[in-house]
Amino acid sequence: MTPPLVSRRAVLVGGAGLAGLGIGAATVGLTREPDVAPGSGTLPFYGARQSGITTPPTAHAQYIGLDLVDPADVPTLQGVLNLWTQDAARLTQAQPSLSDTEPELATLAGNLTATVGVGDRIFRAPALTRLRPSWLQPLPSFSIDRLDPRWGQTDLLLSLASDDPVVLAHATRMLTASVRRSVRVRWVQRGFRNSPGMTTGTMRNLFGQVDGTVQPASDTYDNLLWDDGAEQSWMADGTSLVLRRISMNMDTWEAIDRRGRELSMGRTLDTGAPLTGTDEFDDPVFSATRGGIPVIPASSHIARAHRRHDREQFLRRAYNYDDPPEPGSADTSNSGLLFAAYQRNPVTQYVPVQQRLADHDDLNTWTTPIGSAVYAMLPGATESRPLGASLFDAAGRGSGGAPQK
Amino acid sequence: MTPPLVSRRAVLVGGAGLAGLGIGAATVGLTREPDVAPGSGTLPFYGARQSGITTPPTAHAQYIGLDLVDPADVPTLQGVLNLWTQDAARLTQAQPSLSDTEPELATLAGNLTATVGVGDRIFRAPALTRLRPSWLQPLPSFSIDRLDPRWGQTDLLLSLASDDPVVLAHATRMLTASVRRSVRVRWVQRGFRNSPGMTTGTMRNLFGQVDGTVQPASDTYDNLLWDDGAEQSWMADGTSLVLRRISMNMDTWEAIDRRGRELSMGRTLDTGAPLTGTDEFDDPVFSATRGGIPVIPASSHIARAHRRHDREQFLRRAYNYDDPPEPGSADTSNSGLLFAAYQRNPVTQYVPVQQRLADHDDLNTWTTPIGSAVYAMLPGATESRPLGASLFDAAGRGSGGAPQK
């Protein structure tokens, strides 16, 4: 029946995650011991699969959407990916980038990851047309969407994450300034969780809810997360990302009482346990009733989001955002969630769940999707094969394209 | 002659700062031990002087500029300050605010401080006119200024700082939502340093420079920082804040070579030592020459900024900002410094230095002040006397004004 669900953190913390978290027999003192402070480690850049997807979420993330100046210019795309590979391989290891202009800001990595994806438009280039994954297309239009093109689809996604905001600012600068002649930054979406070492467990969003409890078990990643190359061989070990910017209306949320909030979610606010349980990771019992009334309303978020098939699972890696209200607006907040869902195929895994939530989800009263984009997240890079190598190989270009001038 | 200058951190770390930093015999492990992680402590809210000024700078800060809906409405001003006192006293101690709508987000403080100041306009109210400190006025216009009214003077300043971004978002929400009928948020300026525990020592700005080396010694605070009540007795134990938003042009800065940057600053980029020294805290020797040429150019930032009189000192507590470029702009960055200077009297302490820098400072080539405001930072609150009590006492209103309805 339903495979057991575990928290992603519980999975990650089991093994290699320890090194990534920089946690060992660490004693914090006043002397400089940056290698032992929570969040001060490094994560690998090279590997069959990109870091920043199943590696532990860091405190800060920055999603940068960029458009190619000429989306049909495949050599330039290749040059950008070569440059990003060269520089991210260094910055993630706490080394200055090749032409680093502020090398003093590169002495820490704070578990920096740089994860790169491509949007559907790059596949309009004749050399790439036949290489587009069939699922790499705009999501269907959902009735709840109020999409602002300002947060819409771009040609490239550079997703940076670090436990340190100075590291993130520096990496952003190095990786965007070096390619400024080839791409234009269309948007930057900045998110955060708690600072390193502050708390453990599943994050909370700005509604106060535990957010991200239900995750696929790590032993399903080879099936549900990582592409196996069956449709597009170049995508093997890649994945897809659906990035949704979800505005959360603090005013109206705060106007309802605690019980109303918990019923809309189907979970308690304090522990995040389903209303039929006592622990966050208890399986919800949707059939349970009290006085003939379902304990977890059928219209609640978890009842609606709960998968109908094993296929309807994806890895969630959300961050809070809390930007200043737009100048001149009467809004009292500009807060929400950068909802990131990773899965092998968004059409079969993500869309059915999102469609169900769009049809009805009590939480829709207070949440509004205002941005949406889908990316093919590239397979990992190695020292001899930069990001995108398998794509350019498949296009007959080889992976040795000259770096951008 | 010149009194010895020491770093603020060196002073703070000497004593009570230890508790504030949350550093003890701490071992970081995978179990939840929030009280021992760097940055997870609490700082006092009540006291003769407000926290958040001489307490150790946290990783994140948020300056919130607010205008009273009716600037002449003194009872409402008093109500706002009463509410902020009540709620900040709780939130800073990791307790939910009085009507906290997301109490689960209040279980951490991350060294949260809430520090409040008032702008000159509130003193136009007849009851307060004679109570305006003479220095509480707009700064003179400097030739280098390109001030955007978007970052200009407001009636109130709520300065929040925490080592945790979720704490900061929650505190911002609680402290602004509760007063939304009385005040309007005009701007929010968000800044950051390294995450807790990542590094020690003076911060670096996004030019890569060590920033904030020269600070008044803590034994001068009673003279240079805290008001003694001589001019306005209600201001005793208060201070002033000059908040300048300084845009830093990454493109042009990165176009010059390392030597050119160091000469413009008068310090090396790696250690921050003056060009005549080897250690960050070495006193610069402005008279030193090499081949007849000053080692530290007379036009360099530190030569121009160096005080001509003992009075020309102020406590600097800067944060980096790195916002997304404005939508539609061709800028490749929107970065800079939230420069905060605290001193008893900005006219005699800050302005002479700023005037000298405006007349000439090599760094002006790459930096532009785009925001400026001056605040009277209130004396501290106690359990029986909320923020502003001495002001309202002096105005004959007493401190027991009814909280805002």
Side-chain angles (χ1 to χ4, degrees), chain A residues 257-272:
Chain A
D257 66 13
R258 198 168 173 86
R259 181 72 185 148
R261 296 184 206 183
E262 292 183 334
L263 287 170
S264 73
M265 180 65 182
R267 295 184 180 276
T268 62
L269 281 163
D270 54 356
T271 63

Side-chain angles (χ1 to χ4, degrees), chain B residues 189-268:
Chain B
Q189 303 193 54
R190 190 169 309 178
F192 58 87
R193 296 172 167 224
N194 288 110
S195 280
M198 289 283 182
T199 68
T200 56
T202 311
M203 74 166 253
R204 286 185 187 271
N205 63 35
L206 296 179
F207 278 176
Q209 300 166 328
V210 172
D211 194 305
T213 301
V214 178
Q215 299 281 13
S218 62
D219 63 7
T220 67
Y221 288 175
D222 283 342
N223 181 33
L224 292 172
L225 178 61
W226 302 114
D227 197 288
D228 61 359
E231 188 207 322
Q232 290 288 354
S233 60
W234 73 268
M235 268 298 288
D237 290 320
T239 185
S240 76
L241 166 64
V242 174
L243 179 64
R244 307 267 291 175
R245 186 177 180 91
I246 301 175
S247 168
M248 292 162 46
N249 190 321
M250 301 299 291
D251 286 347
T252 53
W253 174 254
E254 292 172 357
I256 56 164
D257 66 12
R258 199 169 173 84
R259 181 71 186 148
R261 296 185 207 183
E262 293 183 335
L263 287 170
S264 72
M265 181 64 183
R267 294 184 181 276
T268 62

Side-chain angles (χ1 to χ4, degrees), chain B residues 77-96:
Chain B
L77 169 63
Q78 192 169 6
V80 168
L81 295 178
N82 284 351
L83 263 180
W84 280 351
T85 302
Q86 288 173 358
D87 286 344
R90 287 171 173 78
L91 290 166
T92 56
Q93 306 309 304
Q95 301 293 329

Side-chain angles (χ1 to χ4, degrees), chain A residues 11-32:
Chain A
V11 172
L12 291 166
V13 155
L18 283 180
L21 285 162
I23 290 174
T27 302
V28 175
L30 277 176
T31 53
R32 182 181 172 126

